[in-house]
Amino acid sequence: MSTTPPLLITGADIAGEGAADVLVVDGTIRAVGTDAGAEAPQGVSRLSVDGLVLLPGLVDLHTHLREPGREDAETVETGSQAAALGGFTAVLAMANTTPVTDSAEVAETVLDLGRRAGYVDVQPVGAVTKSLAGEELAELGLMARSRARVRVFSDDGRCVHDARLMRRALEYVKTFDGVVSQHAQDPRLADGSACCHEGELSGRLGLPGWPAVAEETIVARDVMLARHTGSRVHVAHVSTAGSVEVVRWAKAQGIAVTAEVTPHHLMLTEAELGGYDPTYKVNPPLRPVEDTLALREALADGTIDAVATDHAPHVRQDKEHAFADAAFGMLGLETALPVVSTTMVAEGRMTWADVARTMSSAPARIARLAHHGQGVVAGAPANLTLVDPTRTQTVDRARSRSLSRNNPWHGRELTGAVHLTMLRGQVTARQGLVWGADHEESHR
C-alpha cells in the first residue's frame, strides 16, 4: 500500500484507561500523551476520535483462509479483508488447505499470498503431521527455518491422538520455541460423525453425541506431556468447564500451557440446535449454558489466554444439508470483537484493557509475533484498532466481506463496532469499508 502522511490521533481512549493523543510517523507510534502533538512534523493529518477506544491491532490465532484449494469458500485476500474489517492486523492461517501446509513450500506460498493482499499479516500455521494423517511428523524444522518462520503447528480439524507422536512433536518444536496447538478430540470417544454435545438435547434431536470428556481427556494428556517435555502446548477452541479446570490446574503447576476460546463458545449454547440449522454445526460443538458461563469466567480471570475466531467459511453446497451431514464451522472474523464487547465488556466481565490482552498481546505472544501486540506505546509498530464502544449494529450476512455466508450472528444486534484498522500506519479498513491498495475505499 502507498505511503501515508504522518497522523495525529487526538482524544483516543487508550484501551479504556484514559484519553491521550497518538502520533504515528513512518508506520511507527512516535509519541503517546497530551503533548504528542508537539512532536508532530509539518503537514501532519489529524483525526479526532473523542469517545472511541484505541486498542493495539487484534491478532487471531485461528483462521481458516481456505487458500490454496478451496478458493470458492475463501481466499487469502477476501479473508484478509474480513479480518481488517474486524479490527485484526495479524491472523494465523490454519494448515488444513489443499495441499496441506505441511512443507516449507506451501507455508511460503501462504505467506506470499498474505503479503500480496496487504490487509493483515498472514502467518502460516504448519501441520503437525503429514497430510494431517496423524501418522508421521510433517517438515516441522524446515517450516520453522523457511521464510515463513512457522512457530505454531496444528492438525486442526483433527486431533493428534497418538500420544507418542504428540510427545515427539512437542520435543521437536521446543528446539526453536514453537508450540503445538491441539484440536482436542479423542476419536474413540467422539468420531467424525459426532456433531452435537452429548446429552439430553442430542438424544431428543437424534444427533450423534460429542461428549465433553472427549475433549477433556486429550487436554489432560497433553498438559502432562508438556510437563514431561518442558515444551509449550496450546489448547485450541476450549469448549467445556472440565477443560477449563484442567488448564487452570496445569497453570498452577507451572506447566507451559495456553488456551483459546472462540466468540461463538462465549455467547452461543446448544439451545441454538433446536431448529437443526447447520449454520450452528461447529467442532467442538456448542455446549450447555454451564460450560459457556465457565468459559466466560476463565477468559476474564486469565485461565484462558486468548480469544480466537476459528473463522471457518463454507460454500452453500457444503452447509445446506441435513445437520448431521453438513460441514463443521462458522464465520467469525468480522464479528469477533463485537461479540466479545457484547458478552464480556458490556456485561462488566472484562475491561477494554482485558480485550487488548486477550485479543492482541496474548495471542501475539503465543504465536511469537514480535511486531504485534506491543500495545499503544511509543516505539511500537502502528498496528492499531479504533473501536466505537457504544455503537450497536445488526449483523447482515449479505454484507460480509467473506465469500461465504455461514454466519451465526445474522440478525443479531451486537454492541461495539470497529471504526478503523491500521497496519503499520496504513489504514486497511474504516467505518465498514475496506481500503484498497490505492487507498480508495472499496465498497462491499
Side-chain angles (χ1 to χ4, degrees), residues 53-61 63 82-92 119-121 307 309 332-338 340-341 352-364 369 371-375 383-387 417-418 420-423:
V53 174
L54 188 62
L55 302 173
L58 308 185
V59 176
D60 187 19
L61 285 167
T63 302
L85 285 169
F88 291 93
T89 55
V91 299
L92 275 76
Y119 295 96
V120 297
D121 286 342
V307 175
T309 71
L333 283 170
E334 293 173 72
T335 51
L337 188 137
V340 172
S341 171
W352 285 107
D354 294 326
V355 174
R357 169 177 56 84
T358 58
M359 298 190 74
S360 182
S361 61
L369 298 182
H371 299 296
H372 291 269
Q374 294 185 23
N383 301 322
L384 300 170
T385 303
L386 193 62
V387 180
V418 174
L420 179 146
T421 308
M422 180 180 293
L423 176 66

Side-chain angles (χ1 to χ4, degrees), residues 380-395:
N383 301 322
L384 300 170
T385 303
L386 193 62
V387 180
D388 186 337
T390 62
R391 180 184 165 197
T392 60
Q393 55 184 334
T394 301
V395 178

Side-chain angles (χ1 to χ4, degrees), residues 215-285:
E215 174 176 304
E216 295 155 2
T217 53
I218 296 295
V219 176
R221 183 203 72 178
D222 286 353
V223 299
M224 298 307 290
L225 287 174
R227 181 165 74 171
H228 178 74
T229 60
S231 188
R232 294 194 295 140
V233 68
H234 179 75
V235 186
H237 42 50
V238 172
S239 71
T240 78
S243 292
V244 167
E245 292 176 8
V246 174
V247 172
R248 186 173 283 125
W249 174 86
K251 288 191 170 189
Q253 304 304 308
I255 299 172
V257 57
T258 53
E260 70 187 38
V261 65
T262 70
H264 49 271
H265 284 110
L266 286 174
M267 180 178 280
L268 306 177
T269 72
E270 63 173 355
E272 306 290 347
L273 275 58
Y276 292 98
D277 184 346
T279 302
Y280 297 105
K281 183 181 179 183
V282 65
N283 191 356

